[in-house]
């Protein structure tokens, strides 16, 4: 029980507005020095009309990459989907340290952003940029330290 209380206390520190988590099966606070990567997940609701524009989304990706001092690895990819499987927009940018992706539900005006990078980054400015750029009425975020090496192997 003490480990769990310590973990909850660590998640509620005022150092960062983002609870640091790991996908480990351990219940101890994550150790970013042992992390292989860092993963920001952001969900937003009732976004503005910029989610309908490939140019605006690419501009946003460029601003995020510049702010985080990352580098593009490939060209920006954007695809609008309207079919039986669903509808909406997906955008993707490979960076030298992994990727940035966004998916939008154009009917509900929802947006979902992922940034994964093996280079450590501060998620705070990204969430601020999303709030200013896409003006969501609601927003939730999670920042995860990723490390498969922290997961205990299980025999099957």
């Amino acid at each position: 029980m003490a480990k769990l209380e310590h973990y909850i206390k660590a998640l509620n520190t005022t150092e960062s507005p983002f609870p640091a988590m790991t996908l480990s099966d351990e219940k101890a606070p994550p150790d970013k020095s042992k992390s292989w990567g860092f993963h920001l997940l952001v969900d937003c609701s009732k976004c503005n009309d910029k989610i309908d524009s490939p140019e605006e989304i690419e501009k946003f990706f460029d601003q995020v990459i510049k702010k985080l001092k990352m580098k593009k690895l490939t060209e920006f990819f954007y695809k609008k989907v309207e079919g039986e499987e669903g509808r909406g927009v997906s955008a993707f940018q490979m960076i030298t340290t992994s990727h940035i992706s966004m998916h939008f539900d154009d009917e509900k005006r929802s947006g979902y952003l992922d940034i994964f990078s093996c280079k450590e980054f501060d998620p705070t400015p990204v969430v601020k940029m999303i709030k200013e750029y896409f003006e969501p009425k609601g927003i939730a975020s999670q920042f995860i330290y990723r490390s498969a090496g922290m997961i205990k192997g299980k025999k099957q």
Side-chain angles (χ1 to χ4, degrees), residues 98-118:
S98 196
H99 75 274
I100 301 171
S101 66
M102 266 190 128
H103 306 282
F104 296 103
D105 175 345
D106 52 0
E107 185 177 289
K108 294 182 181 174
R109 314 301 299 163
S110 300
Y112 307 91
L113 169 106
D114 285 348
I115 299 177
F116 182 77
S117 176
C118 54

Side-chain angles (χ1 to χ4, degrees), residues 20-62:
M21 303 183 75
T22 181
L23 296 181
S24 162
D25 57 359
E26 300 285 324
K27 295 296 181 205
D31 180 352
K32 72 178 174 183
S33 70
K34 294 180 181 176
S35 296
W36 189 84
F38 305 88
H39 198 164
L40 174 63
L41 300 99
V42 182
D43 296 354
C44 12
S45 62
K46 299 182 181 158
C47 298
N48 63 24
D49 289 341
K50 289 182 179 176
I51 69 168
D52 299 318
S53 168
E55 294 82 17
E56 290 293 341
I57 295 170
E58 184 174 16
K59 182 177 169 184
F60 174 77
F61 275 46
D62 287 345

Side-chain angles (χ1 to χ4, degrees), residues 81-99:
V81 177
E82 293 183 51
E84 291 178 25
E85 306 86 39
R87 42 134 232 351
V89 170
S90 290
F92 190 80
Q93 176 70 63
M94 288 183 69
I95 53 177
T96 56
T97 56
S98 196
H99 75 274

